[in-house]
Amino acid sequence: MKKFGLIGYPLSHSFSQKYFTEKFRKENIHDCVYENFSLPDIEQISSILISEPQLQGLNVTIPYKEKIIPFLHFKNDVVEKTGACNCIKIKNGKLYGYNTDVIGFEISLKKKLKDYHKHALILGTGGAAKAVEYVMKKSGIDYKFVSRKVSSDNTINYGDLDESIIQSNTLIINTAPIGMYPNVDAYPNIPYHALTAKHYLFDLIYNPEKTMFLQKGEEHGAAIQNGHEMLIIQAEESWRIWNEG
């Protein structure tokens, strides 16, 4: 039996486990299972690999997309450039790291992206934000990070956001878990009243389907997109990676 899984903490709910279990059922794949591995400490990855010799692939979620890097034996170019990994192929005891967030986000983002979306705000600075930054650079979109802690010249504090900043950055991407179930009433602290019909709000969260962040954007006529399609794309890319070569 081939085993695949997800590592992160906490794993109160998992898109990946539900998605792959359903995929195996629909496609009559009887020799594969997908499990969650909730790890309070990333160091526990070593014991998981020993106790689960049938493991052939892992997805990586919050808060380990960056912390998993030292455990990898190989990193592809995207992982090298982003410093974040959300997909691992296990072969002959070696961990091969990939980042499928990038392709998932890029494909989903571009369906509603317009020519005038030239300046972006990336809310959050974690592992998912690194994938978004990679796509911004690739797409030629100017961007700034927004965080509670300013750690670089390209990062601004939530408290410094004003109408002019919101109006000049018509693409706003939330990469933080603010508003994720069960905290569905929470939302990033930005001047929503400055949003217009030219704005495009993308939330990497998929549960709930429409976060408060997206609801507030929609109320002002902005285009909105959640992270569900992105997750499906990155999941299928993970499956491809695990089964190639």
Side-chain angles (χ1 to χ4, degrees), residues 45-151:
I45 184 66
S46 299
S47 60
I48 291 294
L49 295 171
I50 293 171
S51 63
E52 301 285 351
Q54 294 173 312
L55 264 179
Q56 297 195 13
L58 288 168
N59 289 123
V60 185
T61 190
I62 296 171
Y64 298 137
K65 291 184 181 184
E66 297 165 293
K67 294 179 181 178
I68 192 66
I69 300 292
F71 296 88
L72 302 176
H73 299 95
F74 166 85
K75 302 183 286 288
N76 79 341
D77 289 344
V78 181
V79 173
E80 289 278 9
K81 291 176 180 177
T82 61
C85 166
N86 76 315
C87 175
I88 298 171
K89 181 174 183 175
I90 304 169
K91 189 174 182 180
N92 299 323
K94 303 291 186 182
L95 304 186
Y96 295 76
Y98 301 85
N99 188 313
T100 61
D101 277 342
V102 165
I103 188 170
F105 174 68
E106 182 176 17
I107 292 174
S108 187
L109 174 79
K110 289 191 171 180
K111 291 185 177 180
K112 296 179 182 177
L113 197 68
K114 304 297 183 184
D115 291 341
Y116 49 78
H117 292 135
K118 294 297 184 183
H119 301 276
L121 295 177
I122 303 173
L123 311 184
T125 56
K130 302 293 180 61
V132 171
E133 179 184 28
Y134 184 92
V135 175
M136 294 298 98
K137 288 180 177 179
K138 182 179 177 182
S139 304
I141 298 173
D142 182 58
Y143 64 92
K144 286 189 179 297
F145 291 105
V146 182
S147 178
R148 287 171 294 181
K149 295 181 180 179
V150 176
S151 56

Side-chain angles (χ1 to χ4, degrees), residues 18-35:
K18 182 179 179 181
Y19 180 82
F20 280 107
T21 299
E22 189 69 8
K23 175 183 175 67
F24 297 156
R25 185 188 66 80
K26 287 181 178 179
E27 299 181 15
N28 293 314
I29 301 172
H30 302 296
D31 62 342
C32 295
V33 294
Y34 192 102
E35 294 185 8

Side-chain angles (χ1 to χ4, degrees), residues 173-192:
I173 304 138
N174 179 44
T175 71
I178 305 171
M180 181 186 292
Y181 179 86
N183 301 311
V184 296
D185 293 328
Y187 50 86
N189 184 24
I190 68 172
Y192 292 95

